[in-house]
Amino acid sequence: MSIEPERQGRQQGGSTAGPTVLRIALGGQLRRLREQRGISREAAGDAIRGSHAKISRLELGRVSFRERDLNDLLTLYGVQDSDERAAFLSLARQANEPGWWHQYGDLLPSWFETYLGLEQAAEIIRTYEAQFVPGLLQTPDYARAVILLGHGQEPSAEVDRRVALRMRRQDILTRPEPPTLWAVIDEAALRRPIGGERIMRGQIEHLVRISELPNVTVQLLPYSVGGHAAAGGPFTIVRFPESDLPDVVYLEQLTSALYLDKRNDLDQYQAVMNLLSVQAATPQDTTQLLRELMHEY
């Protein structure tokens, strides 16, 4: 097995991997080593004075790597070459580096920090939203109005930081080699007057402008479609430039989130997203519909 810590560990600037994706890559490599040796998760957990659940979290990239644990696992898996061990350890150190969002750690639940890491390292982001405009496409005023729905009792300074975090996330759309964002937005999200008419008008104007970016596609799913494939609710599919990393489906809940990467789950959500893209108005028609809707506010 060979790994390329320098290539994978470059700082964000386009097709670069952030710490979350590095953890996933490293975890996947360790899982393959364990399976090649025929070692169970329970035995691997015993080797690092932990449980099979801890091994599962490490292999999924959900937690950071302790150097002692990594050394013990490499020994257990028969990795003796000093250069190869050094490459694993170097990759682990890079994977443990905090992302830029670490400064907002007091505001973020751990399950959402994981998503931020995936989003920042993505090559393609496909999302369906039913109630709100997707966070990557929100204006500051609209974002503040949405945030106040759940954090209205917080001091204004904390709300300001939450808005700043959401705006910082959007930097990926205009960086060099940005990801492709393809958003399908239910008409209900734009009919719901979050923050009032002025804010909604500004938000719709922003959708028209930002959809002019070559890497951003916006489609409106109108009421006239009736029932549609995404009746189960909003979801996001994230794809990475690293070919050995699986896509991830992100499902956000009120107090937690699900991350799906099994082939069957991915196939089903990809099929739903493809169908939504056919059912929704074309990007060109969406622009016209947005302009018409703008005049209703």
Side-chain angles (χ1 to χ4, degrees):
M1 170 181 295
S2 63
I3 59 178
E4 302 173 70
E6 292 183 2
R7 177 183 66 82
Q8 296 187 48
R10 291 196 302 265
Q11 294 300 309
Q12 289 287 357
S15 59
T16 57
T20 304
V21 168
L22 293 180
R23 288 201 305 270
I24 295 172
L26 179 55
Q29 291 168 346
L30 290 173
R31 186 193 73 250
R32 288 189 287 273
L33 279 173
R34 178 180 59 77
E35 291 174 346
Q36 288 169 7
R37 291 280 176 169
I39 297 171
S40 68
R41 286 195 178 94
E42 288 76 10
D46 289 342
I48 61 170
R49 302 150 299 279
S51 64
H52 71 281
K54 181 176 180 179
I55 294 297
S56 179
R57 290 193 296 271
L58 286 171
E59 292 181 350
L60 291 171
R62 299 290 186 261
V63 294
S64 58
F65 292 85
R66 295 173 55 190
E67 189 165 319
R68 176 186 177 187
D69 290 345
L70 183 54
N71 270 313
D72 288 344
L73 288 175
L74 292 175
T75 298
L76 179 66
Y77 300 158
V79 179
Q80 302 297 336
D81 181 80
S82 59
D83 289 340
E84 190 172 359
R85 291 176 71 98
F88 271 103
L89 292 168
S90 175
L91 185 57
R93 284 190 287 271
Q94 295 170 66
N96 288 340
E97 291 179 0
W100 61 259
W101 54 92
H102 181 70
Q103 61 186 298
Y104 299 99
D106 58 316
L107 303 178
L108 296 171
S110 59
W111 49 265
F112 189 63
E113 285 192 65
T114 298
Y115 175 71
L116 287 181
L118 300 178
E119 182 180 80
Q120 293 293 306
E123 180 178 49
I124 300 173
I125 302 170
R126 301 182 72 187
T127 186
Y128 164 70
E129 275 289 352
Q131 184 171 355
F132 302 112
V133 172
L136 288 175
L137 299 175
Q138 293 179 6
T139 65
D141 286 342
Y142 181 91
R144 183 179 300 276
V146 172
I147 288 167
L148 286 172
L149 293 176
H151 303 278
Q153 303 303 313
E154 291 186 359
S156 59
E158 295 299 287
V159 174
D160 289 345
R161 291 180 65 218
R162 290 185 184 277
V163 174
L165 167 62
R166 192 159 300 183
M167 296 303 102
R168 177 74 184 275
R169 285 172 56 193
Q170 298 178 5
D171 289 348
I172 63 172
L173 297 179
T174 53
R175 74 188 183 193
E177 299 182 49
T180 294
L181 173 63
W182 190 341
V184 177
I185 305 174
D186 198 287
E187 183 176 348
L190 300 181
R191 294 286 183 181
R192 192 180 303 276
I194 302 293
E197 292 186 355
R198 179 188 62 83
I199 288 176
M200 286 305 302
R201 190 182 308 114
Q203 176 60 68
I204 296 171
E205 289 176 350
H206 178 68
L207 287 176
V208 172
R209 288 194 303 271
I210 200 165
S211 62
E212 295 174 353
L213 292 176
N215 58 306
V216 176
T217 298
V218 176
Q219 290 185 266
L220 183 65
L221 187 66
Y223 287 148
S224 59
V225 169
H228 56 78
F235 62 93
T236 299
I237 305 172
V238 182
R239 176 167 293 176
F240 310 101
E242 292 77 16
S243 59
D244 59 335
L245 293 182
D247 294 355
V248 175
V249 174
Y250 173 71
L251 303 172
E252 186 171 318
Q253 302 171 339
L254 185 61
T255 58
S256 62
L258 295 176
Y259 295 87
L260 310 178
D261 60 5
K262 289 187 171 60
R263 187 73 262 164
N264 287 343
D265 292 329
L266 293 173
D267 288 345
Q268 289 188 46
Y269 277 94
Q270 290 282 8
V272 169
M273 181 58 81
N274 290 338
L275 185 54
L276 283 176
S277 300
V278 173
Q279 292 177 312
T282 66
Q284 294 77 16
D285 289 345
T286 291
T287 298
Q288 181 59 35
L289 290 171
L290 290 175
R291 290 197 172 109
E292 293 173 4
L293 187 57
M294 195 187 312
H295 295 303
E296 297 184 23
Y297 284 106

